[in-house]
Amino acid sequence: MYAVRPKSIKVKTAPDQLYTAAIQKEFSRISTTTEDDLINSFIQSATKKAENFTQIAFLNTVFTAYYDCFPCAFELPKGRVSAIASIKYYDTDNQLQTLSSDYYDSDLNSKPAIIREAKGYSWPSVYDRLNAVEVEYTAGFGVDTDSVPVDVLTAVKLFAGTFYDSDRVDRRAGNNNLTAAELILTPYIQY
């Protein structure tokens, strides 16, 4: 079965920050409280860098994936998919409709997750337009930091610590931290 990747993906509902400045300060042995805002921004940047590197969401995030038509099978990137909220499409009159879940089967255990038409059903015809089909789904390890693998959190902390230390330490040490974080994250990469 050939699964088609979405043409584009948008975040509909983003999670809160992966962890707190206090956790980063303990990890990086930082004692000051005057830079918490800066540390929080580094945590957010580090999380984004790690998620972009792996192409997965760490905390549950609601995505909308866009396709120009109904393919044989949909591929849902961005990591572990826990729920498919809806499949919507523009019918031949260019009106947005919601497809009944009877029309499709899903394999949420695949990496990436797959949706295909159910046996005995056919995909409906769509209007000839861009982004004619929208799939809304949730992907991520879970709703809180405890659901994220420890090695993933360690990699994000290494990134954030490197960002924080970038003007304070030898650049080669910072590059080693980046390399270590990328090596830790490599098994999680989703192509």
Side-chain angles (χ1 to χ4, degrees):
M1 167 180 43
Y2 176 71
V4 174
R5 291 183 67 82
K7 190 175 81 174
S8 63
I9 301 172
K10 290 185 180 175
V11 173
K12 182 173 182 182
T13 307
D16 291 330
Q17 186 167 297
L18 187 57
Y19 57 87
T20 64
I23 292 170
Q24 183 67 43
K25 290 185 332 188
E26 180 181 341
F27 179 84
S28 298
R29 297 182 181 109
I30 300 168
S31 58
T32 181
T33 57
T34 59
E35 295 184 308
D36 281 6
D37 289 343
L38 179 64
I39 292 168
N40 281 324
S41 71
F42 287 148
I43 293 167
Q44 291 168 0
S45 296
T47 302
K48 186 171 191 142
K49 179 174 179 57
E51 287 181 331
N52 287 340
F53 182 79
T54 59
Q55 291 298 299
I56 64 174
F58 299 151
L59 293 177
N60 282 359
T61 304
V62 178
F63 293 98
T64 304
Y66 297 90
Y67 306 81
D68 288 338
C69 62
F70 280 104
C72 292
F74 296 93
E75 189 174 291
L76 301 177
K78 296 298 184 187
R80 182 181 301 161
V81 174
S82 59
I84 299 168
S86 66
I87 298 178
K88 296 181 180 183
Y89 66 98
Y90 287 89
D91 66 15
T92 54
D93 293 325
N94 201 24
Q95 299 299 309
L96 189 62
Q97 304 291 334
T98 301
L99 188 67
S100 166
S101 60
D102 294 338
Y103 278 79
Y104 59 90
D105 294 323
S106 60
D107 179 358
L108 303 185
N109 295 315
S110 290
K111 291 182 182 182
I114 302 290
I115 299 173
R116 67 177 188 167
E117 72 186 356
K119 188 173 183 168
Y121 288 89
S122 298
W123 295 127
S125 297
V126 297
Y127 192 78
D128 185 14
R129 62 174 284 159
L130 299 174
N131 302 319
V133 181
E134 305 172 1
V135 180
E136 185 176 306
Y137 64 100
T138 302
F141 290 111
V143 297
D144 58 25
T145 304
D146 292 337
S147 58
V148 179
V150 172
D151 50 346
V152 169
L153 291 172
T154 299
V156 174
K157 291 172 189 176
L158 284 169
F159 281 143
T162 301
F163 297 162
Y164 181 80
D165 290 336
S166 65
D167 291 333
R168 296 170 179 80
V169 297
D170 181 358
R171 297 258 187 239
R172 289 172 291 182
N175 288 338
N176 288 338
N177 283 344
L178 292 176
T179 303
E182 290 169 350
L183 287 171
I184 292 168
L185 292 171
T186 297
Y188 296 94
I189 294 173
Q190 183 175 320
Y191 296 99

